[in-house]
Amino acid sequence: MLDKMILLVYVIKDEELADELCGYIGWTEDTTRRLLMRALLSPPTTPVQINTVVQELGDRAEFPRNTAYEILKEFPLQPEHYLQLEDMLRFKAGNLRQNLIKLLLKQTPEALSGTVERLLADKLVDKRLGGMDILMQLKDQSEYKEITEKAKPILKNLPKASSKELILIEELTKATGGSTEGEVTYKRENGYGLIENKVEVVMPTFPLEPSFDIKNISH
């Protein structure tokens, strides 16, 4: 039934009805969600339609969220939309995260720096990893050097970093110029900050009696 309504609204080009149908998108099958976006929201023309497509980037089904990405990849998003994208990095689906990061990278350097700082400061590991994934995209681009340098002390002072985070921290701190004196660098060689190789371990010595003979140990 809803599919027929979508096609009808497509024919008559009624924006108010299109907005109304957006309210039903969460109750439909994934094929219907995809149809609604392709028929009525490509591109979105009202705030309701824009928010609907942005929300669909986090859809539980792959086809609708890929459709949402295709619509938005050339669409000018507003700051509040980028905040929504940041929050969706709490999800784990691989292509979902890739699409979100591609869109976040469209921001100005100043806005992108704010995104990175917020993600690295988040209490959720998956969102912090999202921030690190963004930095991995930026680390070899000179125009973003200020962002990667600014992120370095944040990376090195993350409390209770996960094993995945520690691996990325090693790569990112190397890419941003390594550590300076007094800073902890997370590497395999120092057990990701848990081992200090500079500390010299001195084994104690025990004086032997003049009459000691190793042959007598077994007797």
Side-chain angles (χ1 to χ4, degrees):
M1 180 65 178
L2 194 59
D3 289 5
K4 292 180 179 179
M5 292 179 64
I6 292 170
L7 295 176
L8 176 61
V9 174
Y10 172 77
V11 172
I12 65 176
K13 307 296 183 186
D14 189 310
E15 295 293 350
E16 290 186 10
L17 286 176
D19 284 359
E20 188 174 338
L21 286 177
C22 287
Y24 295 97
I25 197 167
W27 302 90
T28 62
E29 298 291 334
D30 58 345
T31 52
T32 301
R33 297 196 295 276
R34 185 185 186 192
L35 173 64
L36 192 154
M37 285 188 287
R38 294 182 68 178
L40 306 181
L41 312 181
S42 185
T45 55
T46 70
V48 170
Q49 295 174 19
I50 296 169
N51 286 333
T52 298
V53 180
V54 170
Q55 290 170 10
E56 281 300 296
L57 287 166
D59 197 288
R60 59 187 178 276
E62 184 174 355
F63 285 148
R65 64 177 181 248
N66 284 346
T67 300
Y69 170 73
E70 290 300 320
I71 293 171
L72 294 177
K73 68 180 182 180
E74 303 297 336
F75 190 84
L77 294 172
Q78 298 302 311
E80 62 267 24
H81 300 134
Y82 287 113
L83 290 175
Q84 289 178 263
L85 304 190
E86 292 175 20
D87 187 57
M88 290 182 199
L89 283 170
R90 69 186 188 276
F91 300 134
K92 297 180 181 293
N95 76 316
L96 181 156
R97 295 175 67 84
Q98 291 170 11
N99 290 343
L100 294 174
I101 288 172
K102 288 176 186 177
L103 292 173
L104 287 167
L105 288 169
K106 291 171 54 182
Q107 297 178 93
T108 63
E110 182 179 0
L112 188 55
S113 179
T115 286
V116 169
E117 288 186 40
R118 284 189 295 273
L119 290 172
L120 293 182
D122 202 276
K123 63 181 181 180
L124 296 179
V125 172
D126 286 310
K127 291 177 72 172
R128 295 199 301 269
L129 286 170
M132 293 181 199
D133 287 337
I134 290 174
L135 288 171
M136 290 295 290
Q137 298 284 331
L138 304 180
K139 67 185 181 68
D140 296 322
Q141 301 182 49
S142 59
E143 63 267 36
Y144 294 110
K145 184 177 179 181
E146 184 176 345
I147 296 177
T148 55
E149 288 294 323
K150 192 176 180 181
K152 184 168 66 174
I154 302 174
L155 290 168
K156 292 180 178 179
N157 290 284
L158 280 181
K160 299 181 180 179
S162 67
S163 57
K164 288 183 180 179
E165 289 177 299
L166 291 172
I167 292 171
L168 287 174
I169 288 170
E170 178 186 357
E171 291 299 318
L172 290 166
T173 51
K174 278 196 291 189
T176 53
S179 62
T180 58
E181 185 176 354
E183 293 180 327
V184 177
T185 302
Y186 295 101
K187 296 181 179 180
R188 292 184 181 87
E189 291 80 3
N190 71 349
Y192 296 108
L194 300 176
I195 301 172
E196 177 54 75
N197 289 332
K198 293 181 180 179
V199 176
E200 182 180 359
V201 178
V202 179
M203 296 298 293
T205 59
F206 299 96
L208 298 177
E209 296 292 333
S211 60
F212 174 78
D213 188 343
I214 194 170
K215 294 179 181 179
N216 297 326
I217 291 178
S218 59
H219 298 291

